[in-house]
Amino acid sequence: MSNFKYLDFLIHNGVKEIVLDSDIALDNGEESEYKKGIKLDVDDLIIDGKGHSIDAQEKTRIFYCTGKNITIKNITLKNGFIKGDGGAILNEGELTIVDSKLIHNISVYDDETYSSRIHDGAIFNENKLTVTESTFEENG
């Protein structure tokens, strides 16, 4: 199993297509470095999970997307957590999600109560988002 720092390195090393060969999980202590999630700020990027998962361990958001033409596919994004919007993903870029699962991602506000806007438990979108052949379970 790999950690968030490893995935962050893959995203920012110049490769335009990342194919995961293992699950990714937030390591102890990584949440301070990834308070807003791993930055998806590289244009024209594909992340193919090949059936693997990314687990934020209920400590942080998974992705903060500002890049253009980013595709995430064949992956499970789970246990994302943020005090604010988008438990798994905050999208300010151009993001496509294909054949993926978003499971148990939570966004809360300062008073620690669940948002009345339950639609942003998994994803909060502020720009262009396309989701196809994907499922959402237990997000809030």
Side-chain angles (χ1 to χ4, degrees):
M1 184 176 303
S2 299
N3 60 19
F4 271 41
K5 191 169 197 93
Y6 172 75
L7 181 56
D8 190 14
F9 169 78
L10 292 177
I11 290 167
H12 293 98
N13 78 354
V15 175
K16 292 297 183 176
E17 183 167 2
I18 297 165
V19 179
L20 297 183
D21 59 5
S22 68
D23 292 338
I24 306 284
L26 185 76
D27 268 350
N28 288 333
E30 281 189 319
E31 63 267 18
S32 63
E33 186 173 350
Y34 297 104
K35 288 180 184 178
K36 294 183 180 182
I38 299 170
K39 290 182 183 174
L40 292 178
D41 55 358
V42 177
D43 295 344
D44 305 311
L45 178 68
I46 297 170
I47 300 174
D48 185 345
K50 289 290 187 186
H52 293 288
S53 66
I54 301 175
D55 187 344
Q57 309 286 337
E58 299 180 357
K59 294 181 181 176
T60 191
R61 178 189 293 133
I62 298 171
F63 290 123
Y64 173 41
C65 178
T66 59
K68 295 178 183 173
N69 194 31
I70 295 176
T71 300
I72 298 171
K73 62 184 185 177
N74 306 316
I75 199 162
T76 298
L77 303 178
K78 63 184 184 178
N79 299 319
F81 175 85
I82 194 77
K83 288 184 179 180
D85 293 316
I89 300 171
L90 172 59
N91 180 45
E92 295 178 348
E94 298 172 4
L95 177 63
T96 300
I97 300 171
V98 180
D99 193 26
S100 295
K101 295 178 183 177
L102 289 94
I103 301 171
H104 194 260
N105 298 288
I106 306 292
S107 63
V108 299
Y109 288 84
D110 290 336
D111 63 0
E112 304 260 347
T113 61
Y114 287 93
S115 166
S116 62
R117 297 179 298 160
I118 60 172
H119 66 276
D120 72 353
I123 301 172
F124 187 79
N125 181 49
E126 293 185 331
N127 199 357
K128 183 178 178 185
L129 174 67
T130 304
V131 180
T132 59
E133 301 175 17
S134 297
T135 59
F136 294 79
E137 300 173 14
E138 300 178 16
N139 298 289

